[in-house]
Amino acid sequence: MLRRIKIDWADLPNFHPLETPFPAPERIYPGLEEITPESFPDFLNEIGLVGMGGSGFPASEKLRAGIGAHTLVINGVECEPGITIDQTVLLHHALWVQAGANASAKAIGAKRVILAVKDHPAQMVPLQKLYPDYDIVPFPDRYPTGAEKLILKKLTGNMPAPGIRPYQLGYIVQNVVSLRAIGRAMIDGFPVVERPLTLAAPASRFYKNTIVPIGLSVREILAAFDLLYDPARQLIVGGGLMMGCEMALDDLIEKTTTSLLLLDRAPLKKKERNCIRCGACNTACPLDLHPYSLVERIQKGKTHSTAFQAQMTECFLCGVCSAVCPSDIPLVQTLTEGKKCLP
Amino acid sequence: MSSVKAPFLHSGTRTSSMATWALSALLIPGAIYSMLYPSPFIFQLIGYALLGGLAEGLYHLIVRRKLKFNPMGSALTAALIAASVPPSMPFLPMLYAILIAIWIVKLPMVGLSLRFNAAMVGRLFLMQVYPGSIVAWGTPTPDVISTATPQELYRSEGFALELPQLLFDRIEGVWEELFLLVPGSPGETFPVLLLLLGGLLCYRGIIAWRAPVAFLLSFAIASAAFGDSVLFNLFSSATIFSAAFIVSDPVSTPMSKGGKIGVGILIGVSNAVIRHTTYYTEAIVYAVLLGNLFSPLLDRTAFMLRGRRLNQRLSQPHWAG
Ligand code: SF4
Ligand code: SF4
């Protein structure tokens, strides 16, 4: 049975503190009138903005393609479980986010701005106060609702067809942190040089949302927060529990690093067993795919059927199937390989 | 140091504890049975479960596979066989059935897409080779008679139980002065309890609800269509027991959601058909094995259909700006 993935150390229904080294803004840069569909993408290039929800896709291209879309969606639905940075930015940097959202909406000519957030009743009231002009749409707090596809599914009522980009449906989905960066650049003249992220070491119950300069090394950040790291026992994960990857001490924080997590190694060492054909992976897949059937076909090289190709294209490697597999089969790793079988 | 890959999170049950959960659930009706009709059945059940675990251990020693040794699954298989035949079944046939189920069906088929439910194969063996014992209304204790099933009573004597008797299973009827009749095999005796246990297992994520629910519904509908009493059919014989422990078995039923529902319907309908048209009261055994046989096909069909649906969406019209 599919249940919500519970993360006790991050399941905070109330407000998340944010540590920031500088004061919040007080006024909106009066340049909103100057924004045009032609100049805005160049402005985004100039400040070096990429999709800060983790995709890293150049924001200018996304925006240029989306000119003419009728709706701008502010994606504040945290994609990864255990990370609360999007909600935190929404609550603490409303002015920047709004500046960024208004500018983007104006540039593409969107009539409507939707604020997609996680369904935390306690946060609804403050959010409504902070964003009175936007339609706030709550999304269930379950991984991976924050994925672009699934947000569109809820908004349009239909699963977007494989390969269809949101702007083809008239939507443009921007991550909260990206919009914040636009606002920051417009108001304070800062290019994208900082990255809000969630920093957590669940074993020592350390949990913080903070803003770090891009380009700092993991070592420096851990030192700044007095976090002890023991490579034999612990593991640094950047970018979330489900889709992130292991980081070394000297790796640098990038624009797309949504989180830094210090996890214990022991519970992650799982030995793969035989598939018991329980179907937990099928039931859990948010796109109703057949993960183990795909994996079987990849391993046997039977990757030419249309059914396989259609499902493999659709899969966005969210990792839910691996997470629920009672036999600890690393399904998503094989699926990543399988992506290469696509024409 | 081996590198660990995403996801760094696991959720839900692990295989190692699944069989343990199911086995513990099975021990509950076993224990109640032993208390209600003073009988050593619960010890029999535990003994056979141990035997099953031992059989798997031996298999590992002799055939030596790379499989992780987890005797719980085999213990569960053995216990399921023991619970689904009359407690008077002698030891030797039981031993054969358990060894056949575990050494020939369960373990060698690990990893294949076509797998049969080992407990049902064991029971089929007993039915074929020791038909006398399986319907033997043996006497676990001198004044208790265990019948094959109320279904059989109904078939041979036209003696239908009232609903409350079915639900709580103490027959107080014509033979009461002589003997206390205990209908069915021990595992099948408390349908309401089994229903609750099945629900609990679903809730705990040990079994998936689709196949058992589809099985019960389609069986009820098919029985009604044949003009048989739905409640009687649902609550007699091994119906609920099978829904909770046999049809819900992950390994021998399809993985896909559609396939699970399909196999439930297949088993339910064929069970109703066999019950209606023949005198086999053990229809469920054949129905389940039939369902197992079709499982790979159902999975493949579900996979293809999903692919086709996705491809159809590609040609859907979409907003064009
Ligand atoms: S990674 Fe697994 S759960 Fe996620 S979309 Fe792909 S098949 Fe489905
Ligand atoms: S969840 Fe794991 S064990 Fe279950 S069917 Fe999928 S791959 Fe097999």
Side-chain angles (χ1 to χ4, degrees):
Chain A
M1 196 168 66
L2 182 60
R3 253 172 292 184
R4 221 185 99 195
I5 296 176
K6 267 223 189 96
I7 311 239
D8 54 353
W9 44 270
D11 199 18
L12 312 170
N14 33 34
F15 310 107
H16 313 295
L18 179 71
E19 281 198 353
T20 117
F22 34 76
E26 281 157 5
R27 64 188 177 87
I28 289 192
Y29 184 66
L32 202 57
E33 307 84 52
E34 291 161 25
I35 284 169
T36 62
E38 292 78 41
S39 65
F40 196 59
D42 294 335
F43 170 65
L44 297 187
N45 269 343
E46 202 177 305
I47 63 171
L49 184 66
V50 297
M52 295 185 81
S55 72
F57 191 73
S60 60
E61 279 178 42
K62 186 172 182 175
L63 202 106
R64 202 171 276 141
I67 288 173
H70 53 65
T71 307
L72 171 78
V73 182
I74 308 177
N75 184 358
V77 189
E78 222 84 38
C79 198
E80 295 271 352
I83 299 180
T84 51
I85 192 64
D86 287 357
Q87 298 160 58
T88 313
V89 166
L90 267 180
L91 287 168
H92 293 270
H93 289 166
L95 214 52
W96 281 332
V97 174
Q98 273 178 26
N102 291 344
S104 307
K106 178 156 187 257
I108 57 175
K111 307 271 172 315
R112 189 173 168 217
V113 180
I114 290 179
L115 177 58
V117 292
K118 266 193 185 168
D119 195 1
H120 278 317
Q123 287 182 3
M124 280 305 161
V125 179
L127 282 177
Q128 269 155 5
K129 249 186 233 141
L130 288 169
Y131 302 91
D133 304 332
Y134 303 157
D135 296 333
I136 301 182
V137 181
F139 280 75
D141 184 4
R142 179 189 284 154
Y143 179 80
T145 4
E148 221 170 57
K149 258 184 199 173
L150 297 173
I151 287 190
L152 286 174
K153 180 184 177 190
K154 170 147 180 185
L155 293 179
T156 60
N158 269 324
M159 194 70 185
I164 292 291
R165 311 289 316 165
Y167 64 81
Q168 290 172 292
L169 299 166
Y171 289 84
I172 207 145
V173 184
Q174 284 284 33
N175 180 265
V176 171
V177 181
S178 302
L179 293 174
R180 172 196 173 279
I182 298 177
R184 180 100 164 109
M186 288 173 58
I187 294 170
D188 309 303
F190 271 59
V192 185
V193 291
E194 60 201 19
R195 165 77 233 187
L197 53 72
T198 293
L199 185 62
S204 45
R205 306 209 66 77
F206 175 90
Y207 194 84
K208 244 186 187 57
N209 287 304
T210 184
I211 290 172
V212 301
I214 289 164
L216 220 61
S217 71
V218 173
R219 187 193 305 277
E220 286 167 300
I221 293 181
L222 295 185
F225 287 94
D226 294 330
L227 283 171
L228 296 178
Y229 168 60
D230 170 7
R233 215 167 43 76
Q234 282 171 317
L235 173 77
I236 309 170
V237 171
L241 291 168
M242 301 298 283
M243 294 170 94
C245 53
E246 196 176 342
M247 287 181 95
L249 267 182
D250 292 315
D251 285 350
L252 307 181
I253 299 296
E254 294 177 23
K255 291 175 189 172
T256 50
T257 312
T258 51
S259 68
L260 267 190
L261 309 168
L262 218 52
L263 305 176
D264 281 352
R265 262 177 204 279
L268 298 171
K269 274 207 200 101
K270 290 274 165 60
K271 222 178 133 222
E272 175 180 349
R273 283 149 279 150
N274 265 300
C275 169
I276 58 162
R277 311 189 78 77
C278 62
C281 49
N282 289 59
T283 320
C285 175
L287 304 177
D288 279 334
L289 305 180
H290 299 227
Y292 191 70
S293 305
L294 286 170
V295 165
E296 261 179 339
R297 282 166 173 77
I298 293 168
Q299 282 164 349
K300 289 189 197 144
K302 291 188 194 162
T303 54
H304 300 291
S305 67
T306 46
F308 174 86
Q309 308 240 339
Q311 294 200 30
M312 200 65 246
T313 318
E314 187 82 349
C315 169
F316 66 111
L317 307 175
C318 65
V320 170
C321 46
S322 288
V324 298
C325 176
S327 298
D328 296 312
I329 300 177
L331 292 159
V332 69
Q333 283 171 38
T334 316
L335 290 172
T336 315
E337 299 279 298
K339 283 274 182 198
K340 294 180 200 144
C341 303
L342 291 175
Chain B
M1 212 178 300
S2 69
S3 84
V4 191
K5 294 255 171 62
F8 302 92
L9 184 73
H10 288 282
S11 156
T13 342
R14 304 264 74 88
T15 35
S16 45
S17 63
M18 283 174 136
T20 315
W21 266 92
L23 190 59
S24 331
L26 188 61
L27 288 178
I28 297 174
I32 298 182
Y33 184 90
S34 281
M35 285 189 296
L36 222 53
Y37 320 112
S39 118
F41 172 70
I42 181 73
F43 302 111
Q44 251 169 288
L45 193 65
I46 296 174
Y48 283 132
L50 288 177
L51 195 64
L54 204 66
E56 174 156 353
L58 273 179
Y59 186 91
H60 275 270
L61 278 184
I62 296 164
V63 188
R64 286 264 290 270
R65 300 181 52 118
K66 280 180 286 168
L67 289 180
K68 191 165 170 261
F69 173 64
N70 177 18
M72 271 304 174
S74 295
L76 176 65
T77 303
L80 282 174
I81 301 178
S84 61
V85 298
S88 57
M89 181 61 76
F91 175 73
L92 216 53
M94 273 304 291
L95 179 68
Y96 294 148
I98 291 177
L99 292 186
I100 285 178
I102 292 173
W103 284 359
I104 299 185
V105 183
K106 191 180 177 76
L107 297 177
M109 289 179 97
V110 165
L112 299 184
S113 55
L114 173 66
R115 297 182 64 177
F116 289 105
N117 188 307
M120 286 293 105
V121 175
R123 197 166 149 189
L124 181 70
F125 164 81
L126 289 176
M127 279 159 58
Q128 297 302 332
V129 183
Y130 301 93
S133 308
I134 219 140
V135 291
W137 300 8
T139 47
T141 57
D143 50 359
V144 172
I145 286 188
S146 166
T147 76
T149 52
Q151 184 82 17
E152 200 142 287
L153 276 180
Y154 177 65
R155 284 279 185 217
S156 53
E157 321 270 329
F159 171 78
L161 300 181
E162 308 267 315
L163 192 54
Q165 295 174 331
L166 276 176
L167 297 189
F168 304 105
D169 272 338
R170 242 182 131 88
I171 302 182
E172 283 158 24
V174 268
W175 295 304
E176 196 202 3
E177 294 109 78
L178 285 175
F179 293 109
L180 174 63
L181 283 175
V182 179
S185 318
E188 305 160 359
T189 310
F190 310 102
V192 177
L193 181 68
L194 288 171
L195 206 56
L196 289 178
L197 286 173
L200 177 73
L201 290 182
C202 275
Y203 176 74
R204 294 288 317 171
I206 311 293
I207 61 177
W209 59 271
R210 281 186 176 81
V213 169
F215 162 68
L216 289 178
L217 281 181
S218 63
F219 178 64
I221 293 170
S223 297
F226 289 132
D228 297 337
S229 155
V230 173
L231 283 174
F232 180 77
N233 268 311
L234 272 183
F235 286 104
S236 67
S237 197
T239 311
I240 305 277
F241 173 78
S242 309
F245 291 105
I246 306 292
V247 182
S248 63
D249 170 36
V251 290
S252 58
T253 52
M255 299 182 281
S256 51
K257 297 185 204 173
K260 278 192 163 55
I261 292 179
V263 88
I265 294 176
L266 182 66
I267 297 177
V269 171
S270 51
N271 190 20
V273 170
I274 303 175
R275 268 203 198 181
H276 182 77
T277 53
T278 70
Y279 278 81
Y280 277 126
T281 49
E282 308 279 340
I284 187 72
V285 176
Y286 298 100
V288 166
L289 293 178
L290 185 73
N292 294 166
L293 198 60
F294 275 93
S295 291
L297 183 68
L298 284 168
D299 259 345
R300 220 169 21 239
T301 316
F303 185 80
M304 301 264 294
L305 288 178
R306 186 71 189 113
R308 191 168 303 164
R309 275 251 313 284
L310 286 175
N311 277 330
Q312 272 167 6
R313 274 218 325 262
L314 262 179
S315 49
Q316 263 170 21
H318 52 79
W319 192 81

